[in-house]
Amino acid sequence: MTEMLKGIAASDGIAAAKAYMLVQPDLSFSETSIDDPEAEVKRLNDALEASKRELELIKQKATENLGAEEAQVFEAHLTILADPELIGQITDKINNDKVNAEAALKSVTDMFIGMFEAMTDNAYMQERAGDIRDVTKRIMSHLLGVKLPNPALIQDEVVIVAHDLTPSDTAQLDRRYVKGFITDIGGRTSHSAIMSRTLEIPAVVGTGSATTDIKEGDMVIIDGISGDALINPTAEELADYKQKAEEFAAQKAEWAQLKNAKSVSADGKEVLLGANIGTPKDVQGAVDNGAEAVGLFRSEFLYMDSSELPTEDEQFEAYKAAVSGMNGKQVVVRTMDIGGDKELPYLPLPDEQNPFLGYRAIRISLTRQDIFRTQLRALLRASKYGRLAIMFPMIATVQEFKDAKAIFEEEKAKLVAEGVEVSDDIQVGMMMEIPAAAMIADKLAKYADFFSIGTNDLIQYSMAADRGNERVSYLYQPYNPSILRLIKNIIESSHKEGKWTGMCGEMAGDQIAVPLLLGLGLDEFSMSATSILKTRSLIKKLDSNKMKELAEKAVTECETVDEVKALVAEYTK
Ligand code: PEP
Ligand code: MG
């Protein structure tokens, strides 16, 4: 019988394909003493040989599918596999201590990993520790006769099933084969979900049990619109979903007609619809989906895609590509927002009990000014190639904004003194994603050129509910009157100072929220590129004065999300 799984709809679209389990197998073993070291060394050599063949294949596939740069890591793994010092020590251990190959492998590699990890001031060596750990896993899997998942080797259409996907896992998925993904944990605004929307891969997250309920090779239907998944559906169910997928495609084709239209309400109020991007490569998707701006360039993805801090020149090229790709339309680049669920292997952060409340984003930039100033210089140099704006993430206080802005001004003055051409029209704004900042938006509006409301974090901090934790995802309530009141205060405060407010959190593309946001006077809506056209289609049908009345009522009269939703339904029918 078909089994049904319910999760959170994370990325629109419908996919049906065989399951590919991206789960780590159990690699535990017991240490045993052996009496035939020669046979044991042969076991080790066979496992090394099998690992080598596998890695060569993976490297070749990764080069074809993802490019030579992404495949580099496998070259590093092959080098480790052939390292005479490492292999020699493992062999010696088997011969001298008479232990099984698994135990010898673990003991020697643990020693090397510990040694490299201890070099805390050497990011390169620390990374090698990660490589040795990966290679050890591979050899161990061959010794134990279990299979490791190798996503780079996927060559059939699949639905990826995983406990969770990190942003870097998601970035490596090849769209030609990966038709959808489903996870145990995560929420609509976890970064893997956001990436899946950018890649236009249907996704259902936070099902709680995808990796236990689904088995490798099961047929799986992912409905990224409703959040449902079906395991081993009947032919009839498959046909139903095929029809649903066709309807969705037809709807998309209708929205596509609005690609070059303005974003204007039925009564003529114009707003701006922008795209959120993670790398300059996403600019094409933004343009194809009719973006009138980039409202958020998450610059931290440049840092995450790299094996060391990106240089000023590398960043300059990326920002230049983004601003020139948008052809004079505004591109808002957010300075590095590392921390929370976004980590850099080469910039180890202290272990913290609450990383989302910890040392992150602007807090890192203000203490690691070397990193911050390099980024600002790259941005300033790119400013002459288009219309660039900059914003700072996670601003909580007026002082933080002033400090960050002062550093920006210093770097700008230095570049000008060096004779570098810099635009004199760069707006400098801030993310509004901490409730404390939202409450003093009137004060911050005196200094910031604009606000961009980050509802993904603003909601998690206001409701005290981790955005990636499916157990508390019921508290992710964009339409809660508390959130609407904060948004209203932010927008009104900016307007009083003659400034503008955008929104780059996922709420900006939420079809129930859009009427409310239009009514609250939001100037710019920035979202996953794939949501732009349907939002434009919706705005065209709305009357801005009526939406103003709706928003006022929701903010002053409603007590619950359900009341707000009912009100929206009444005002938009
Ligand atoms: C937000 O917090 O709403 C936001 C846009 O930033 P991020 O999702 O990258 O934290
Ligand atoms: Mg945020």
Side-chain angles (χ1 to χ4, degrees), residues 334 337 342 360 394 431 433 454 456-457 467:
R334 173 174 76 187
D337 184 11
K342 292 177 281 196
R360 54 172 302 199
M394 297 287 294
M431 293 283 295
E433 51 187 344
N456 307 343
D457 280 319
R467 64 195 262 185

Side-chain angles (χ1 to χ4, degrees), residues 55-124:
L55 273 171
E56 274 167 352
L57 190 62
I58 294 175
K59 190 185 134 202
Q60 182 203 334
K61 290 292 166 213
T63 312
E64 285 165 23
N65 295 342
L66 306 164
E69 213 176 305
E70 298 278 356
Q72 270 294 322
V73 57
F74 301 113
E75 184 60 48
H77 288 190
L78 280 163
T79 311
I80 294 169
L81 209 51
D83 186 287
E85 179 68 28
L86 182 81
I87 307 305
Q89 286 202 28
I90 303 171
T91 313
D92 286 352
K93 193 147 186 79
I94 297 174
N95 284 323
N96 301 337
D97 296 0
K98 309 261 183 309
V99 290
N100 54 344
E102 288 87 341
L105 171 70
K106 178 152 187 342
S107 145
V108 172
T109 52
D110 274 357
M111 193 264 296
F112 276 99
I113 291 168
M115 195 168 81
F116 287 156
E117 275 184 343
M119 302 182 186
T120 44
D121 54 351
N122 189 332
Y124 177 80

Side-chain angles (χ1 to χ4, degrees), residues 189 191 194 276 296 298 300 334 337 342 360 431 433 453-458 467 504-506:
T189 59
H191 284 94
I194 292 172
N276 294 345
L296 167 64
R298 287 185 167 90
E300 57 276 9
R334 173 174 76 187
D337 184 11
K342 292 177 281 196
R360 54 172 302 199
M431 293 283 295
E433 51 187 344
I453 307 176
T455 46
N456 307 343
D457 280 319
L458 185 65
R467 64 195 262 185
C504 58
E506 292 301 307

Side-chain angles (χ1 to χ4, degrees), residues 370-384:
D370 52 331
I371 300 176
F372 191 39
R373 286 177 190 270
T374 302
Q375 178 168 35
L376 291 172
R377 285 174 72 86
L379 283 163
L380 282 155
R381 284 170 54 200
S383 66
K384 70 168 181 181

Side-chain angles (χ1 to χ4, degrees), residues 152-219:
L153 291 184
I154 296 175
Q155 272 192 308
D156 295 312
E157 295 195 347
V158 294
V159 164
I160 298 269
V161 185
H163 180 62
D164 188 17
L165 284 168
T166 63
S168 57
D169 283 335
T170 322
Q172 291 196 23
L173 301 180
D174 184 335
R175 274 183 56 184
R176 279 175 303 171
Y177 303 122
V178 176
K179 293 296 155 193
F181 73 72
I182 178 162
T183 65
D184 293 338
I185 66 166
R188 205 182 138 73
T189 59
S190 52
H191 284 94
S192 53
I194 292 172
M195 296 266 302
S196 69
R197 288 195 281 284
T198 307
L199 294 167
E200 297 189 40
I201 298 177
V204 171
V205 300
T207 58
S209 59
T211 55
T212 42
D213 293 353
I214 304 174
K215 304 276 167 295
E216 178 89 27
D218 277 351
M219 185 68 182

